[in-house]
Amino acid sequence: TMINCVNKDTQLVDFTKCSRNMPWDKPNAVRDITDWPDDARDGYVMSDVGNVINAYFVACMKAMSTLAGAIGNTADQQRFAAQGAATTAAMRKTMLDSSTGLFTDTAHGNHSAWHSQVFSLWAGVAPAENWHRMMTFLASKTVDTGVTGSVYAAYAYFLSLYEADFDHGNLALKMLTSCDNNSYCHMILQGATATMEAWTRPEKDNLSWS
């Protein structure tokens, strides 16, 4: 379904080309999820051509290419790989701010949220020459609270810190062993025996242990 949302002129997932408002139980329904709750988005600018959904799409194309190759479907393997490469190139062209070295939230945008760096790194979109500034930016976002995004985005975050082998995993280790509010250690201190839905109890009134 997502591949039908690609703008063939830009090679980016563009929701002006398909509807994101259909109910979940309808065929071909498409929704983009960046992070939740809203205040966990680091000011990420939501748009029809967003960084996070395009990073997910690149990762999806890479996975689909691998799966197609595993079952001997060479045509689809090449098609998915080519689309992933095209969208990667488009993201670098339209979402990479040359003055800051950071990815923007939208095509030709002017705001660079934590999520745009995390998901670009996780999906392998970020060029190695930009890792230093992106990792420095991510490190600067962890001063007071721990992980900037929610538990939902933490999966991509920790993988991204290892994907960009810039500091040999030192920032990842620091964050994984932190007991700041937004950390797994803090969950344990709150009595959790499994990963919680949110970092802290006040974030979610109906918080569960799953």
Side-chain angles (χ1 to χ4, degrees):
T1 300
M2 283 299 299
I3 205 165
N4 297 326
C5 299
V6 174
N7 184 321
K8 299 306 179 184
D9 294 327
T10 66
Q11 296 302 317
L12 293 168
V13 175
D14 182 345
F15 282 113
T16 64
K17 299 297 180 182
C18 61
S19 174
R20 56 147 73 91
N21 297 318
M22 292 183 287
W24 287 112
D25 61 347
K26 299 294 184 182
N28 303 318
V30 175
R31 300 283 181 90
D32 56 323
I33 298 175
T34 298
D35 209 347
W36 188 262
D38 293 352
D39 61 7
R41 292 180 184 160
D42 191 38
Y44 182 92
V45 178
M46 303 295 285
S47 71
D48 285 328
V49 187
N51 179 294
V52 170
I53 196 64
N54 273 278
Y56 267 122
F57 180 67
V58 169
C60 177
M61 290 296 97
K62 290 179 178 179
M64 292 297 290
S65 178
T66 299
L67 289 170
I71 62 173
N73 189 335
T74 305
D76 276 351
Q77 179 184 18
Q78 294 174 348
R79 179 168 69 96
F80 291 134
Q83 182 62 69
T87 301
T88 294
M91 289 184 69
R92 292 178 177 181
K93 179 180 179 181
T94 65
M95 299 181 184
L96 190 53
D97 188 330
S98 59
S99 64
T100 63
L102 303 176
F103 276 85
T104 56
D105 307 340
T106 62
H108 307 294
N110 56 17
H111 184 266
S112 297
W114 178 90
H115 299 73
S116 294
Q117 317 322 307
V118 164
F119 285 91
S120 296
L121 285 166
W122 167 72
V125 172
E129 58 266 27
N130 288 77
W131 288 354
H132 176 78
R133 284 192 279 185
M134 294 173 74
M135 293 285 280
T136 300
F137 174 84
L138 292 177
S140 74
K141 290 283 186 176
T142 65
V143 176
D144 298 319
T145 59
V147 178
T148 298
S150 74
V151 179
Y152 164 81
Y155 173 77
Y157 174 59
F158 286 112
L159 288 180
S160 77
L161 297 184
Y162 287 110
E163 176 71 26
D165 190 16
F166 165 71
D167 67 345
H168 306 294
N170 285 326
L171 178 58
L173 180 61
K174 175 185 175 182
M175 298 305 297
L176 282 168
T177 55
S178 164
C179 288
D180 290 332
N181 276 359
N182 294 5
S183 71
Y184 296 110
C185 171
H186 188 64
M187 287 185 189
I188 295 172
L189 295 177
Q190 294 176 93
T193 56
T195 305
M196 290 160 49
E197 281 187 285
W199 294 118
T200 62
R201 289 178 181 274
E203 282 184 78
K204 201 169 190 296
D205 292 338
N206 61 341
L207 183 70
S208 76
W209 299 120
S210 60

